[in-house]
Each structure stands twice: as C-alpha cells, then as structure tokens.
Amino acid sequence: MADSGETGGPVKKDGIQQAKTEGKELTKEEKQRLRKEKKQQKKSKEKKDEKASQESEKEKKPVSSASPASQPPTQPITPKAPSAVPTLVPVPASETPAPADKPAKSKAEMKAERRARQEAERASKQGKKGEVGQQAAPGKPKAPPSELQPVVKRLPEHVQVDNPEVLKKLAKKLERQQIPLRSDYGYKVSLFSHLHQYSRKAPLTQQLSIPSTVIHPAIVRLGLQYSQGIVAGSNARSVALLHAFKQVIRDYTTPPNEELSRDLVNKLKPYISFLNQCRPLSASMGNAIKYIKKEISNIPSQCKEEEAKSKLLNCIDRYIDEKINLAAKAIAKSSIEKISDGDVILVYGCSSLVNHILCEAFEKNRKFRVIVVDSRPRLEGREALRRLVQRGISCTYVLISAVSYILPEVSKVFLGAHALLANGYVMSRVGTSQIALVAKAFNVPVLVCCETYKFCERVQTDSFVSNELDDPDDLIVTRKGKTQLEHWQEVPSLGLLNLVYDVTPPDFVDLVITDLGMIPCTSVPVVLRVKNVDQ
Amino acid sequence: MPGPDKETDLTERIEAFLSDLKRGGSGTGPLRGSAETARETTALLRRITAQARWSSAGDLMEIIRKEGRRMTAAQPSETTVGNMIRRVLKIIREEYARSRGSSEETDQQESLHKLLTSGGLSEENFRQHFAALKANVIEAINELLTELEGTTDNIAMQALEHIHSNEVIMTIGRSRTVESFLKDAARKRKFHVIVAECAPFCQGHKMATSLSEAGIETTVIADAAIFAVMSRVNKVIIGTQTVLANGGLRAVNGTHTLALAAKHHSTPLIVCAPMFKLSPQFPNEEDTFHKFVSPHEVLPFTEGEILSKVNVHCPVFDYVPPELITLFISNIGGHAPSYIYRLMSELYHPEDHEL
C-alpha cells in the first residue's frame, strides 16, 4: 500500500500541475461541475470510510479486483491520459492506512480524480468527433423521439438587468476578461426595468483604454461602430462581425502547449462579451457565432496552424456567400414572381434584402412604384429612399402615422425581418407589427422576406420580455426653436421609451419568402428542425 | 354716425377673424384650440346679431348664413366654426317659433304624419317681425357661451367614473380636453399614462411635459411603438378634431392605427369630445376630408437631391370608423357611437346642414 501511495504521489503532482495549467481556462460551468462533484465525493467518501474501516483487512482483494475492472472501461478511450486513470482506484484505498493525512490527501486525490475524469471525457468527445465528424453534444435529435429535448437553456444576462445577482456575476466576468462595464443611463420605464438602456454619448471606450492584448483592435472598432449605430441592420452587422473575426483569425497564433481548436474559442469569448456590452447581439449574429465556434472546435488536433487558419477563413467566406449573398439571390428570384406590373408596393424602414428585391425586380423591367414608410426617431426609411431613387424607381415617402391614409392605394406590403421565432412570430424593427396590422385591416397582403440563417429557436409572444432599449434622448426634437423634452431627466415622473424591436403575430403575415422557398409563418419550426438535423 | 361706424367696426372684426382662421390653419400662426375658436365664433355671431341691420328672423338668418359661408371657406378643416353657426341658426329658429307661440316639439319632428297632413312644404319663411326677438336671441347666445366655457370642466368631472387606480392609459398627440380629464382624475387616483408623440408635429411631447408636471407618471413613445406597447394598456383615451355624423372621427393622423391596435387587443377606446365638435358632415367627401400641410415637415429641404424625385405626403387628419370606438364622453354625459345621430338632430336643424 505504501508503494501505491508513493506511485500515487508523483502522479498526483502531475495531476495538480495539469490542474494549475488548466485552471485558468476552466469556465464557469466547469467550476460549477467541479463544486458539485466535490460535494458528491464528500458524501461518497464518508460512506467509503465507514465501509473501508470495516473491511480494512480485505483491502488488497478489492484493490486487485477493482483495478482490472477499472481498466477495461478506460481501454476504448484513446491513450490520452492512461497514466492518471488506473491510479483512481488504488488512491481511495490508500486513505485508510493514513487517517491522519485524510483531509490533505483526499482533497488532492479528488482534484486528481476530477482532472482525470475531465481528460477522459474530453478525449472521448474528440475521439467521437474524429470518427463520426459530428458534435457529440448531449440531447441532440438523434435521441429516440419519445425523449424530450433538455429543458430551458439559461436565460441570457441582458434580459435580467433587474436581478442584482446576475449583474454581480456579469461584473465579475467582465473584470476577469478586462472589459469595462457599461452603465445604464436615464430613467427606465418600469415595464422595461429588466433591460439595459445605454446612452450613445457614453461609448464603452471613453473611460478606459482597452489594451490590444485583451481585445483585438478590429473588434474594438466593430464594437464602437455598433454602439454608435454606424453599422446597423442585421445582415450588415453579421457580415461586419464575420469580417472582423476573419481579421482576428489571420492575426492569431497558437501559444505553445495549446490546441488551436480550444484556445481560439476561448479567445473569442471576451470579444463576444465586449460586443455584447456595446450592443446586444442579434439573432443572426448569434447563429453566425455558433457556426464559427463549431467550425473551430471541429478542427482536428493534428492540423497545422496555417492550414487550420486558411480552412477557417474559407469556412467564413463560404458562410457569407451561401447564407447571405446566394440566399438574397434566391429570395429575389422567388419574390419577383410575386411582383406584377402596375403594383404599388409598400416597404417599411431600410431592409437590405427588400431593397435588393426591389432593385432586381426593376432590372427585370417590372413596372411598379414604391411607397416608403418611415418612423421617428431612426428615420431609416430615408436611406432606403435614397437607394431606390438612385436606381430610378418612382417612390412616395410618408411617416408611419399616415399609413392608414396611404394604404388604400397599396397592393402589396414587403417587410424585412430581424429574426423569425420558433412560434411563428416575426421579430423586426419597431413599427412593423403596426404596418402589418393596418394592412390586414385593409386586406392588403403582407409578405415577409427573411434568410434562413436568421431563424431562431427562441419563442416570444410580446415585445416586452426580450427587446432592446435605445438611447432615450433620440426622441427629443426641436421644432420652431423649442425643445419640449429638453429637461426630461429633471422631471421625476417623465420617461422616454425608445424601443428597437417588436414582434408581429403570424396571423398578420400572409407569406414568408426564404431561400428554401415560400412558406407560411407557422412552418418556421419545421425549417429549424430540418436545419438542426442537417448540421 | 353710430350706424355706419358700427357696421365698419363689425366688418373689421369679421375680417380680422377670417384672416386669423386662415393663418391658424396653415400651422404658421398661433395654434388655437377648438374651444377658443368656438367661443370666438359665438361671440362674433352675438355681435352680428346685436349690430347688424335686420328686421325679421329670416334676414338675420340670411346674414349669418352669408358670413358663415365665408368663415367656413376661410378654413374648411376648422369645423367648429360651422357648428357654432348652425347652433345659432337653430337658436334663432327656436326663438322665432317661441315668439310665434307654437310649441317647439312639433316643429322639430318631421314625422310622416306631419308631411301628409300639412299638405306640401311648410311655409316657414320667418318674415314676421317680433320686437323681443333680438333680446331673446342674444340671451340664448349668452347661454350658449356659458355652456361653451364649462365644457372642459364638465368632461373632466366625469373622469373618476372611468379611470380606476393603477391603470395604464394611452393617448396620442395633444388634446386639452384629455389633458384636463386626466389631471382631474390624477387628483384622486394614481395611474400611468403613455403618450404617443404623433409625428411630425410631435404635439405629444407638450402633452407629456404638462401631464408629468401634474405628477402623473408619463412615458413618451414613438408612433411606431403603438402596437408593441398596446398589450399592456388598459384604456385608450383620445381627443378629436371633429365628430362626424355617423359617429366616426376626424382625428389627428395616427389615430386610426391606434384604434385598430386597441380593437385587436380589445382595449376600450374612449373619445373625449365636447358637443360643439359634433358636425353634420359625413366622411364620404374624399376631396374635402383630408387636409395636407407642407411636406417639409416629413422630408426636410436638407435632403435636397431626392426631394424633386419623390412624392411626399403629410396628411393632418385620419378617419376613424365608428365600429372602433367604444364610448364618447361629452359635456352632457357618455354616449355610444350609435347615438350620435340623435344628438345631431337635437343640436342642428336639418335644413342648416348645408350652409
């Protein structure tokens, strides 16, 4: 037993060293898992102590019988960490001859066990990946249909602003990642106290300087462009994000003793937190990030760095091409069938996809005219108006309050979407649901154009629980030299609300045009399921 | 000589009033509330009755009709002017009938029986001269003026019957009637108000500042967020420019969207409108219904290049059909939209519908 104790010693030290090197990279989840395992092991250790004290004489037999038993399960695992595993069983047995050293040894032993178990799990995961080439995440639809999907994912932080614990955790995480925390601004309407409200005049980088070792300068630039509204619109934001990530990948070098697949993913995490602080991520950005992370973790470990990087860059280019550019072409092709000569088409705000469709239709010599509806305070419709007028399309321009005046002239309504939710609701710029409502009242067909990469597994029924609050000062306007709301902060009972998104119920929408075809709003979960199976 | 001086004085006042009306409507002059316009019109009509030369009721009615046509032509969208004129004409008819001795009620009802028995058109030509008619008419117009002065307070007094505590009330733009209605309720109850700003004039901002200074929790939202926020609203209370003969509204633009959103969420829509806003017009006259102002409110001249290639519309009013309205609150109480036609027959005489 003493021998096994000694052999256990150097192995334990190795385990602890490994633990130290890996300790920095343990994520919150792993730490929580470790804590749980600690508790479980404490309980099981107490039980084992009782048993072991009773069977102190039969130690050698259970050891010898246990060790071959422990080996067969470890054999199919690739020889990543065989040295740590066989010491699992002899180690607890060595507890009893040295009861005085119990607390010190047991902690170290448990740590070593945990490391070993983690290594084993990771190895098994990688092994499976190497064989099948698919992510071995639990709860995938490969499970038999009678098994339900795992329940609710964790709520994102940006809809829990009213929970002080969540805010504390976020502050700690950002401190660790060395990203400044952005503070809320102004009086928040009570219905929305669970959301952030930032001011555009206080960008994230004003107070602190962010060293480039922490966050890549391309990402800092991107974050500022988001927070100031220079890059807006879900397609534009996703494409800008992907280009910034390409730059990051080009400048990345794997540190020694690290794997590109794991280290790069960990490098991206503070970037994503930073971008989230600048402006909450959109659904399309979320899907793009998931794709990138998956691609990175799928890089085999023996791949050389240059090869891996060029592979990743190609993946990103292909994603942009397929999901955004080609999808736009496919959607334009199907939508042109829906546009006939003499049509009067109403569009709202500035959707890059809808503008593309209208320009394509105009190229194909369809005769139609466009009514652009705009709304304060963003006034994005003016941008759409400029683009359409440049092409030579005849346009009319009104504000959203005049939509019931202009709607009797309209034959079709084309709307863009920010995301399509799994219960068929369309999440889009605020005001879209209003236009769909009035169009329904006048019996005008409403067509929503959306690429499939914007489909999202979330469900939502109203525009309150998950939304974005923009700078409230945008609502202030000066007319005839008088600014009514100039001192709104000083008046205690006055609040300004500047919503960014709203959800349109599926009964207002007649058709959704996607790159997979023309589907009704209620078929969105079917498409999501098909996509998940493919991936 | 007092006569011609009075007359020139009168014509001067009428001209001043007309030019005020013309300027006020274009949005450049000082914006007046409808109550003010109604009061000024009635005061002017009283002056005409007092100072103009007439011998019989028919003459007076002719004079008033002529001036009335000029006034409505100066600003067709300002319907309170026409309404007050019709009220005064009705007053004159009533006073004449009373002086003649016949009871009021039989004159008002044009029943089928009356048509058959009277044998042809009624020969009311209002030619008889009554000495006391002038005084009676002026007294009646004074009563009308007192009624006008009390309308806002009468409506505000009913506020507590309709607003309970912890409500969320939505309104659009700026209406002095709704403002006093809400302020009156706020003295006793606590509730929350959401104001839609109503672009491009953004009158909602002034409403919000005024309400919040009275201590009411107010939130200003953009017009685009009306439907998004509607699911949390308990009541929608709005003012209007005109109440039409079928019970519909001619209200500030954006009200139709608000009404549709309220209908979708089954939220009651309450219209606070004093009786002088009730007009015998119907919404069918497309060319006279809408009023447009300069498109530079919507697309300013700074946009330059695209301005010449684009059509820009800036309508001021919206039509709201009566099916979307739940209740009218006026100075004489609450009514359903289907009752409006009856009120009309009490206020105006059918022959005065066309001035």
Side-chain angles (χ1 to χ4, degrees), chain A residues 376 397 434 462 479 493 495, chain B residues 197 218 220 224 232 297-298 311:
Chain A
R376 282 196 73 239
Y397 179 78
Q434 228 168 281
D462 60 34
R479 290 196 86 246
S493 37
Chain B
E197 66 177 4
T218 322
V220 179
R232 296 294 175 272
E297 309 275 352
V298 174
N311 293 333

Side-chain angles (χ1 to χ4, degrees), chain A residues 27-79:
Chain A
T27 58
K28 235 190 272 183
E29 295 157 341
E30 298 185 35
K31 275 190 187 165
Q32 280 178 358
R33 227 194 318 147
L34 288 178
R35 271 181 235 133
K36 276 187 200 164
E37 288 180 17
K38 238 194 209 175
K39 281 186 197 166
Q40 283 177 1
Q41 284 183 349
K42 263 190 196 167
K43 285 184 196 167
S44 60
K45 193 193 72 179
E46 282 166 42
K47 283 188 196 164
K48 271 189 195 168
D49 283 342
E50 289 174 19
K51 280 189 198 170
S53 59
Q54 288 169 13
E55 304 171 337
S56 53
E57 292 175 0
K58 299 178 188 170
E59 274 170 38
K60 285 188 182 171
K61 287 183 195 168
V63 168
S64 50
S65 59
S67 42
S70 67
Q71 280 194 345
T74 59
Q75 265 171 5
I77 300 170
T78 53

